[in-house]
Amino acid sequence: MDLVVEGRAYIRGKLAPWCIGIEGGRIRATKKLLKGDEHLDFGDMLILPAAIDSHVHFRDPGLTKKEDFNTGTISAAFGGVSCVLDMPNTIPPTLTPISLADKVNAIAGKAWVDYGLIGGCSPRADPAAISKAVIAYKLYMASTTGNLLVTSDADISRILSSIAVTGKVLCVHAEDENMIRNLPEKTLDDHDKNRPGAAESSAIMRLSKLPGAGRIHICHVASNEAVGMLEGMPFTKEVTPHNLLLDKNSKLKSYGKVNPPLRDRGEREAVFKAFQEGKIDVLASDHAPHTIEEKEQEFSEAPSGIPGVETSLPLMLALVKKDRLGLDVLLRTACERPAEIFGINKGKIEVGRDADLIIVDGTSMKKIATKNLHSKCGWTPFDGWDAIFPHATFVRGVKVVEENGLVGERVGRDVVAGKHPIAG
Ligand code: DOR
Ligand code: ZN
């Protein structure tokens, strides 16, 4: 064995003392005792699967003053995330073989963790043209950052059918553009009123009635009605830490402006309860960094989006410690289900999977401090919140973070390109 990692590992749903044997970046054995060329004994610390954050906006290429693949993946590694799925609303948008090749070139050699690229949808682009190189697709049914809006049922149906043929998942930003008002807004409450929860349910209902759909994943569900409606539907669903933890009544001003919006406390608590009860498939950050300068503009001018790839898992680990969330629910939504849904060989400590692990000291609760985070955007709505950051993060057996420092090499690679190499 190249490497053996020892500690209290989460295997088959239980924490117990284990040795994990790693060779060629994969888990080769899990035994009570194992010998390896290198042996790292973490004593009482926990060994958990690293998280897969299936919804991030790393802004590369074209918007790299907000974030790039270097800073985004460093943030991910410090937050215990070993794989990210990056959204297509970059400049140019990831829509065609040419723009995809642009992206592949722009991010080459920058990543500290693994990644998959999500392709965009537009009324004209042919999804099949990029199907071999993307891990999934993203459909925006409402306007938000970027220029990838598709509103007509005819266009959406065509997109559903062409993506169904590829067998890939279609991630949907489900707010109905027809129900969004563009009245002037000054507060988070105005923003919520302009983009009400009913716009989410309406988009989901429209989708469910259209023919041709394959595998559909509803991103960032933020309203209780949408959660309830999705219970009877064959769609998978995702929530974000900000929609679980922040209300529109907070003092965040435009820093809390996001689509879909932060809602009221009752609504948020209902979505949180569904999450606690294991009714939501995926926890993903929707890491959407914008600069402080951009967020400091007039409320109506400020762009929507909240960063979160580095704080998502640490915030939730703190809730596990406080008995507000089951460790099983957290690992299912942050690791196992994203791996299953998107077909990624990670997310579980099991022989044959990538050795993507985090080491967690359950006693190391601390307050989030903006100055300790690594996103280029330089702010977080969670400053001062309790969190448990990982002591170390491994990507395919390579330690990339340890004790608040970046170590090792930049090993990140495209989880799809490994299967189907593309030119570019
Ligand atoms: O608030 C949002 N920001 N919602 C989105 O759908 C996109 C995101 C961004 O890219 O900034
Ligand atoms: Zn997003």
Side-chain angles (χ1 to χ4, degrees):
M1 246 11 113
D2 303 337
L3 170 66
V4 171
V5 180
E6 183 169 0
R8 292 181 58 223
Y10 187 84
I11 295 182
R12 288 185 288 277
K14 278 202 298 278
L15 284 170
W18 285 99
C19 283
I20 298 166
I22 300 166
E23 224 166 52
R26 292 245 169 109
I27 298 170
R28 300 291 174 192
T30 51
K31 295 229 162 70
K32 292 293 163 187
L33 286 174
L34 273 173
K35 281 203 166 48
D37 298 344
E38 194 185 351
H39 192 115
L40 300 175
D41 186 353
F42 290 102
D44 277 345
M45 287 199 223
L46 309 183
I47 308 176
L48 307 177
I52 296 170
D53 190 337
S54 58
H55 189 155
V56 304
H57 300 263
F58 282 173
R59 312 299 194 197
D60 211 345
L63 294 161
T64 51
K65 68 172 186 190
K66 299 174 195 271
E67 194 77 281
D68 62 35
F69 246 71
N70 177 49
T71 52
T73 54
I74 291 174
S75 286
F78 277 98
V81 172
S82 65
C83 183
V84 293
L85 305 190
D86 189 56
M87 289 294 166
N89 57 340
T90 43
I91 300 178
T94 319
L95 270 177
T96 62
I98 292 174
S99 58
L100 188 68
D102 276 358
K103 180 154 185 161
V104 169
N105 289 329
I107 67 179
K110 290 188 184 168
W112 291 83
V113 303
D114 285 351
Y115 54 89
L117 303 180
I118 296 188
C121 298
S122 82
R124 281 161 306 280
D126 172 16
I130 53 172
S131 69
K132 287 224 168 5
V134 297
I135 191 153
Y137 293 87
K138 176 72 176 281
L139 169 67
Y140 287 92
M141 294 176 73
S143 46
T144 185
T145 310
N147 199 6
L148 283 171
L149 181 62
V150 186
T151 52
S152 85
D153 281 356
D155 285 333
I156 296 173
S157 282
R158 180 189 61 80
I159 288 167
L160 294 181
S161 315
S162 12
I163 291 176
V165 175
T166 71
K168 307 245 164 162
V169 175
L170 176 60
C171 305
V172 182
H173 182 120
E175 287 182 283
D176 189 336
E177 183 73 5
N178 302 319
M179 296 187 59
I180 294 178
R181 302 180 314 180
N182 280 314
L183 297 181
E185 37 180 49
K186 286 204 164 69
T187 62
L188 291 174
D189 185 45
D190 294 342
H191 191 58
D192 178 35
K193 291 199 170 107
N194 273 347
R195 306 179 73 116
E200 292 185 52
S201 332
S202 167
I204 294 165
M205 191 51 89
R206 267 176 65 200
L207 260 185
S208 72
K209 292 191 171 139
L210 291 175
R215 301 165 64 206
I216 294 202
H217 178 70
I218 306 293
C219 295
H220 41 50
V221 176
S223 88
N224 191 32
E225 192 180 297
V227 171
M229 176 179 275
L230 281 164
E231 260 175 46
M233 291 184 178
F235 303 156
T236 52
K237 46 200 171 292
E238 162 197 299
V239 284
T240 65
H242 50 266
N243 287 117
L244 291 174
L245 302 174
L246 302 172
D247 303 343
K248 67 177 178 180
N249 302 320
S250 71
K251 306 244 174 319
L252 289 166
K253 298 188 279 191
S254 59
Y255 290 95
K257 186 176 173 189
V258 64
N259 300 328
L262 302 183
R263 308 214 185 271
D264 68 24
R265 185 168 175 185
E267 190 92 6
R268 172 179 69 73
E269 284 178 349
V271 178
F272 189 87
K273 185 160 177 281
F275 176 61
Q276 267 176 329
E277 289 172 351
K279 293 181 177 157
I280 312 278
D281 298 273
V282 168
L283 172 76
S285 70
D286 192 7
H287 178 79
H290 297 287
T291 64
I292 291 177
E293 207 178 20
E294 290 165 327
K295 281 293 202 182
E296 283 293 332
Q297 298 171 97
E298 286 288 296
F299 190 95
S300 54
E301 296 300 312
S304 294
I306 291 179
V309 69
E310 188 164 352
T311 48
S312 176
L313 189 74
L315 283 164
M316 296 299 156
L317 284 170
L319 294 182
V320 170
K321 180 77 181 175
K322 295 176 187 183
D323 282 334
R324 293 200 47 217
L325 183 65
L327 181 63
D328 55 340
V329 172
L330 175 57
L331 298 181
R332 192 148 175 75
T333 54
C335 313
E336 293 165 19
R337 286 296 280 149
E340 263 165 36
I341 292 169
F342 295 98
I344 303 168
N345 189 32
K346 303 179 184 289
K348 254 189 192 176
I349 303 179
E350 168 177 279
V351 171
R353 298 246 181 176
D354 287 350
D356 286 26
L357 307 170
I358 55 171
I359 309 299
V360 173
D361 174 356
T363 65
S364 75
M365 182 101 72
K366 62 178 198 187
K367 303 275 183 219
I368 294 176
T370 300
K371 67 172 175 31
N372 295 334
L373 300 178
H374 299 83
S375 168
K376 214 183 251 192
C377 74
W379 62 277
T380 171
F382 297 109
D383 192 79
W385 285 59
D386 285 338
I388 298 179
F389 285 89
H391 166 80
T393 303
F394 290 83
V395 179
R396 284 178 281 103
V398 177
K399 203 195 295 154
V400 289
V401 161
E402 185 168 32
E403 290 205 52
N404 310 321
L406 211 49
V407 294
E409 304 149 49
R410 237 183 253 238
V411 291
R413 68 181 187 205
D414 186 327
V415 291
V416 174
K419 293 183 200 159
H420 313 281
I422 56 159

